[in-house]
Amino acid sequence: MAHRFELASDNTAGMAPEAWRALEEANAGVEASYGEDKWTRRVCDLVRELFETDCEVFIVFNGTAANGLALAQLCRPFHSVVCHEHSHIEMDECGGPEFLSGGSKLLPVPGANGKLNLDNMEATLLKQRELHSPKPRVISVTQSTELGTVYTRDELGVLAEFARARSLFFHMDGARFANAIASLGCAPKEITWQLGLDVLCFGGTKNGTSGGELVVFFQKELAQEFDYRAKQAGQLASKMRFLAAPWAALLRDGAWLRNAQQANESAAYLMAKLRENANFEPAFAREANAIFLRMPEQLVRQLHARGWHFYKFLEPDIYRLMCSWAVQRSTLDAFVGDVKALQEV
Ligand SMILES: *Cc1c(COP(=O)(O)O)cnc(C)c1O
């Protein structure tokens, strides 16, 4: 049986060709270390260009470190972070934000479609008892969300306003920020600093690098001594150029956006085919590169037996199919074909 990892996650794909070539380029000759190299400078400049603003940019190895260190930078140990109950920082980072901040508590909030909403945030904040509960300090959103939806600009604006009114910082886990931009078709500044976002963790791994996520501070003073924080956490790459060069290649000519568009289109195609051929409806709106389906356990078992790897995301029966920039139409067709064949048995 062939193992098929294409729909398990967007990090099962390889590196985008531009990123791979850039690695080879960066490997020619000798360069300055610890982020003093020209590739790292180039990434910082390209990010400032992309966001059309002056900002501080750091490269760390992965998204867990980016989120944890960014939140630690905004919090003291007695602070807390409002986030969605299904957020990566709450569910998938092994307490990284709490650990790296020295104890800042996450306050998970429920909300339809993986999104924070005002009523539920308000209810959570009301439960915090002054002095006795950790002091709310940050609102963290994920864009696109863990459930494959995308906050609109207006929705983010409302959250930003809520944060501003309460003197809370605003953080965005953008592991799939590119997919959100591809989905919304807006300029990156429109859903970040223009709304008052303080820090963005901008993901590259799922977009075509082999690793390396950016921490972007839109208020430069918030970045003070972040370099020390990252170094202490083991997140300062000595050969930083190998994280930076692929990023520069993705940013240089828009490959980051094309990759995300490609991934989103693949998910749209897969959802349409599953709807048409197998009567599936999405459990949440398909707005980025993931689809979520309620699937009978027997079908899932049989698909697994045919080699398809994918994960149950929510109990009891909601499964995630994730499309990367690299997934082929033929793969999507093969998956739909298997679903159809198994349904007919
Ligand atoms: C993939 C992902 C991350 C980063 O995870 P790492 O494995 O630490 O790189 C962060 N947030 C979300 C929502 C993700 O999907």
Side-chain angles (χ1 to χ4, degrees):
M1 178 191 71
H3 287 283
R4 312 225 41 183
F5 296 103
E6 291 99 321
L7 300 172
S9 177
D10 31 10
N11 56 25
T12 60
M15 294 175 75
E18 300 87 348
W20 179 254
R21 280 195 300 273
L23 260 191
E24 187 140 15
E25 244 181 277
N27 197 41
V30 176
E31 253 298 339
S33 50
Y34 294 108
E36 299 292 325
D37 60 285
K38 65 178 183 222
W39 304 96
T40 302
R41 267 199 307 283
R42 204 169 290 168
V43 170
C44 296
D45 287 341
L46 285 164
V47 170
R48 290 180 195 119
E49 229 172 84
L50 180 66
F51 285 89
E52 304 174 65
T53 190
D54 198 11
C55 49
E56 291 284 353
V57 184
F58 300 86
I59 309 177
V60 297
F61 286 104
N62 62 23
T64 299
N67 283 330
L69 293 172
L71 292 169
Q73 186 75 357
L74 302 177
C75 289
R76 296 171 76 183
F78 48 82
H79 285 146
S80 56
V81 176
V82 176
C83 61
H84 195 276
E85 64 179 354
H86 297 313
S87 65
H88 200 271
I89 58 173
E90 163 71 7
M91 296 300 295
D92 297 303
E93 301 191 352
C94 197
E98 294 92 327
F99 175 72
L100 290 166
S101 63
S104 304
K105 190 176 198 273
L106 299 185
L107 301 177
V109 177
N113 302 310
K115 295 182 182 180
L116 288 173
N117 67 63
L118 293 194
D119 289 346
N120 293 351
M121 279 201 299
E122 191 73 78
T124 297
L125 289 181
L126 278 173
K127 279 190 271 180
Q128 307 308 309
R129 296 169 55 236
E130 205 163 303
L131 190 56
H132 299 277
S133 302
K135 187 179 183 190
R137 185 64 164 162
V138 184
I139 293 178
S140 174
V141 292
T142 309
Q143 176 78 321
S144 56
T145 73
E146 285 81 0
L147 300 186
T149 55
V150 176
Y151 286 97
T152 65
R153 183 160 170 270
D154 287 349
E155 286 172 332
L156 289 174
V158 167
L159 298 181
E161 189 49 48
F162 182 93
R164 194 161 31 240
R166 287 158 186 77
S167 303
L168 303 172
F169 289 119
F170 195 17
H171 161 264
M172 183 180 283
D173 173 352
R176 298 187 183 89
F177 182 76
N179 302 90
I181 292 294
S183 176
L184 293 170
C186 67
K189 67 180 173 186
E190 292 181 82
I191 58 163
T192 55
W193 62 269
Q194 280 193 336
L195 296 175
L197 189 78
D198 297 298
V199 188
L200 168 69
C201 297
F202 187 0
T205 311
K206 290 162 180 155
N207 190 247
T209 68
S210 65
E213 312 272 296
L214 308 182
V215 183
V216 182
F217 290 92
F218 294 108
Q219 287 195 58
K220 293 182 80 168
E221 62 279 10
L222 288 178
Q224 217 181 20
E225 297 184 344
F226 186 80
D227 46 354
Y228 284 87
R229 188 183 294 284
K231 171 68 185 181
Q232 184 181 53
Q235 291 291 322
L236 177 65
S238 67
K239 292 187 174 178
M240 186 76 91
R241 62 189 180 280
F242 294 112
L243 298 182
W247 253 109
L250 292 183
L251 292 172
R252 193 166 45 214
D253 72 339
W256 70 278
L257 187 57
R258 287 195 301 278
N259 286 348
Q261 284 163 340
Q262 177 67 32
N264 290 4
E265 280 164 23
S266 292
Y269 176 85
L270 179 58
M271 190 60 245
K273 287 284 164 194
L274 285 168
R275 189 183 255 139
E276 194 180 302
N277 292 287
N279 264 322
F280 274 107
E281 287 303 320
F284 311 106
R286 196 291 314 161
E287 292 169 346
N289 60 326
I291 67 179
F292 290 81
L293 303 171
R294 290 181 194 283
M295 292 172 98
E297 204 183 313
Q298 170 155 328
L299 176 63
V300 172
R301 247 199 327 268
Q302 289 169 326
L303 286 166
H304 286 335
R306 289 190 180 204
W308 294 104
H309 289 254
F310 57 93
Y311 298 105
K312 184 188 277 184
F313 215 75
L314 296 176
E315 291 295 339
D317 61 352
I318 298 186
Y319 294 82
R320 184 187 79 172
L321 302 171
M322 183 64 83
C323 293
S324 76
W325 60 274
V327 71
Q328 300 288 309
R329 281 285 151 98
S330 56
T331 300
L332 304 176
D333 290 336
F335 181 80
V336 175
D338 277 350
V339 170
K340 207 172 160 199
L342 290 167
Q343 273 182 338
E344 279 162 7
V345 174

